[in-house]
């Protein structure tokens, strides 16, 4: 319960400081990560949560489903067609190169076998735009750069999932398990598309209409049906979530748009809850057990592999040099990598502790580096802080105008 209290307190602080965070290097994600680490068993010990605690599995499951369902609604076919020239390069070239690029030093530096090395590559290949909010969330940043980062991060969580599941099953050593993982993924795809498309078609009839204030509950109901159906049938709920969100946004954009504000808030809450639990699992004992090669691997992943693979994938595009460098740098490891790391920790693979520790250090370094550089880079792109934030110049000027007689 102390962890719940801590979550509420940190959430309140984070909301209260969100205006400051939008203009400075302060990071809400970092607040939750640090709070979990301080209150967890490694430091104050106010909450002795462990990797095998049921809340870890339950929270990871619900949070990842929620985020993938919300992300899927940003990946409708119209958006994909419009933004595919750049996003297709990032996803079709940059992401596979990132997986391989991470796996190679994971094998030679950390001494992991190839299946486990590729598992780390799959876990750390997704990106999270939350830590680049000063770039992605501003309408005066070049639209093609924002769309590139948004579409890439919205899709790569779901695209990385099959690789994570397959490499986990491969490392567990049973060929039948790999085949069954494939069946689960296909079933998840069928459930997600089938339920969302069926409901969207039903909503087109004149009989089934929803009151405007109840419209956001429609997609939520679809998510609940898909989630429960997948768990009852052992279909993969995560791929189903992403597929359902994408199918709904494609076939009924009105329903998807009505759900978006509520869905974004819901996914943010679950993200932060997972981060505070994730932080509680990062103990000094874990960090002290890592070798210098493991630490070097985390640094190489952030400073070398992502920038190099992204720059390579964006060669000969219409992006300016500054835009390409910005896109290459903002490959923050965020929520999806957190949950995939927790899945690896709860699996039965031989090196699960080392996999989690390497992933945890990489994510922690990424949160610190990327969330502290988004505002300076936004300024370099000649983007001013939002004018409607408390204490901002625009709001002060508006107050002065209002006070004039």
């Amino acid at each position: 319960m102390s962890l719940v209290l801590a979550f509420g307190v940190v959430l309140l602080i984070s909301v209260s400081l969100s205006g400051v965070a939008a203009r400075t290097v302060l990071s809400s994600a970092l607040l939750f990560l640090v709070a979990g680490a301080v209150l967890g068993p490694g430091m104050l010990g106010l909450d002795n949560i462990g990797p095998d605690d049921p809340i870890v599995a339950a929270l990871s499951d619900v949070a990842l489903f929620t985020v993938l369902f919300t992300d899927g609604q940003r990946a409708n076919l119209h958006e994909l067609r419009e933004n595919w020239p750049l996003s297709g390069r990032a996803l079709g070239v940059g992401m596979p190169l990132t997986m391989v690029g991470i796996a190679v030093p994971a094998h030679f530096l950390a001494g992991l076998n190839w299946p486990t090395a590729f598992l780390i590559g799959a876990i750390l290949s997704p990106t999270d735009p939350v830590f680049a909010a000063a770039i992605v969330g501003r309408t005066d940043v070049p639209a093609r750069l924002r769309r590139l980062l948004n579409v890439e991060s919205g899709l790569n969580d779901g695209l990385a999932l099959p690789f994570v599941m397959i490499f986990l099953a491969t490392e567990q050593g049973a060929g039948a398990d790999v085949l069954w993982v494939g069946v689960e993924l296909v079933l998840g795809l069928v459930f997600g598309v089938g339920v969302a498309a069926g409901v969207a078609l039903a909503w087109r009839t004149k009989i089934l209409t929803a009151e405007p204030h109840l419209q956001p509950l429609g997609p939520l109901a679809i998510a609940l049906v898909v989630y429960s159906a997948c768990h009852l049938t052992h279909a993969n709920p995560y791929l189903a979530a992403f597929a359902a969100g994408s199918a709904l946004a494609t076939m009924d954009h009105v329903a998807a748009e009505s759900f978006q504000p509520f869905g974004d808030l819901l996914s943010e809450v679950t993200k932060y809850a997972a981060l505070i639990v994730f932080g509680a699992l990062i103990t000094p004992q874990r960090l002290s057990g890592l070798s210098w090669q493991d630490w070097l691997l985390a640094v190489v992943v952030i400073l070398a592999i992502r920038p190099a693979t992204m720059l390579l994938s964006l060669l000969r595009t219409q992006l300016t040099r500054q835009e390409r460098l910005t896109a290459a740098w903002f490959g923050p490891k965020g929520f999806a990598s957190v949950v995939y790391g927790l899945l690896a920790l709860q699996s039965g693979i031989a090196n699960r502790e080392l996999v989690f520790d390497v992933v945890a250090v990489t994510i922690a370094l990424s949160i610190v580096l990327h969330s502290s550089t988004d505002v300076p880079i936004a300024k370099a792109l000649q983007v001013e802080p939002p004018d409607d934030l408390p204490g901002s110049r625009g709001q002060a000027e508006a107050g002065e105008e209002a006070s004039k007689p």
Side-chain angles (χ1 to χ4, degrees):
M1 188 56 67
S2 59
L3 200 61
V4 177
L5 175 61
F7 177 72
V9 172
V10 178
L11 182 61
L12 181 60
I13 294 173
S14 176
V15 172
S16 302
L17 294 177
S18 58
V20 177
R23 302 190 301 272
T24 66
V25 297
L26 180 65
S27 166
S28 298
L30 187 59
L31 286 176
F32 284 94
L33 192 70
V34 171
V38 171
L39 297 172
M43 297 187 70
L44 297 181
L46 297 180
D47 198 300
N48 293 318
I49 191 171
D52 297 322
D53 196 303
I55 191 177
V56 176
L59 180 60
S60 302
D61 186 46
V62 173
L64 183 58
F65 184 92
T66 303
V67 171
L68 287 175
F69 181 72
T70 306
D71 283 350
Q73 294 187 50
R74 298 188 180 93
N76 62 74
L77 293 182
H78 173 72
E79 286 284 332
L80 293 181
R81 284 196 297 265
E82 183 179 350
N83 300 305
W84 194 247
L86 289 175
S87 303
R89 283 172 168 260
L91 294 167
V93 178
M95 188 174 177
L97 287 177
T98 300
M99 286 189 190
V100 176
I102 294 173
V104 171
H107 175 72
F108 290 105
L109 278 178
L112 297 169
N113 60 37
W114 283 113
T116 306
F118 275 101
L119 172 63
I120 290 182
I123 290 173
L124 292 176
S125 60
T127 58
D128 193 328
V130 171
F131 305 139
I135 302 294
V136 176
R138 291 303 307 261
T139 56
D140 42 3
V141 170
R144 57 190 179 186
L145 177 59
R146 288 186 288 110
R147 285 197 297 264
L148 168 62
L149 294 174
N150 261 326
V151 174
E152 182 205 5
S153 59
L155 287 177
N156 58 20
D157 292 353
L159 293 177
L161 173 65
F163 295 97
V164 172
M165 303 304 296
I166 289 171
F167 289 133
L168 267 177
T170 302
E171 178 58 17
Q172 288 168 342
D177 287 343
V178 177
L179 178 61
W180 178 243
V181 167
V183 173
E184 290 177 338
L185 291 171
V186 172
L187 286 175
L189 185 64
V190 171
F191 272 121
V193 174
V195 172
V199 173
L201 290 174
W203 283 344
R204 293 180 181 179
T205 63
K206 295 182 179 180
I207 299 176
L208 299 178
T209 58
E211 288 290 330
H213 70 284
L214 293 178
Q215 281 185 340
L217 297 182
L220 177 62
I222 291 175
L224 292 173
V225 170
V226 171
Y227 180 81
S228 57
C230 287
H231 280 276
L232 289 172
T233 59
H234 299 289
N236 188 280
Y238 312 128
L239 187 58
F242 189 81
S246 180
L248 180 63
T250 300
M251 300 187 67
D252 193 336
H253 70 277
V254 174
E257 289 175 359
S258 69
F259 176 75
Q260 184 177 349
F262 173 70
D264 286 344
L265 287 175
L266 186 62
S267 64
E268 286 301 296
V269 170
T270 56
K271 279 184 181 183
Y272 290 146
L275 275 173
I276 201 169
V277 169
F278 186 72
L281 298 177
I282 303 176
T283 63
Q285 291 79 9
R286 286 186 177 278
L287 298 181
S288 63
L290 291 173
S291 66
W292 68 268
Q293 293 98 328
D294 300 328
W295 284 95
L296 180 59
L297 172 61
V299 174
V300 168
V301 168
I302 297 172
L303 298 184
I305 295 173
R306 159 70 185 194
T309 56
M310 193 65 170
L311 285 174
L312 185 61
S313 69
L314 295 178
L315 283 176
R316 298 184 178 181
T317 63
Q318 69 269 36
L319 293 176
T320 66
R321 178 175 178 272
Q322 190 177 31
E323 289 170 346
R324 288 198 301 271
L325 289 173
T326 302
W329 170 242
F330 280 113
K333 309 308 170 187
F335 176 75
S337 295
V338 167
V339 178
Y340 294 155
L342 292 174
L343 290 177
L345 183 62
Q346 294 166 343
S347 70
I349 63 175
N351 292 309
R352 64 176 191 151
E353 298 282 346
L354 180 56
V355 169
F356 176 80
D357 293 345
V358 170
V359 168
V361 167
T362 306
I363 294 172
L365 288 177
S366 177
I367 290 175
V368 173
L369 290 175
H370 290 108
S371 63
S372 61
T373 55
D374 55 356
V375 172
I377 290 181
K379 291 179 179 178
L381 290 171
Q382 298 181 342
V383 175
E384 293 295 328
D387 291 333
D388 57 349
L389 295 173
S392 65
R393 183 179 63 186
Q395 193 176 69
E397 292 175 352
E400 292 174 1
E401 288 294 329
S403 64
K404 291 181 180 179

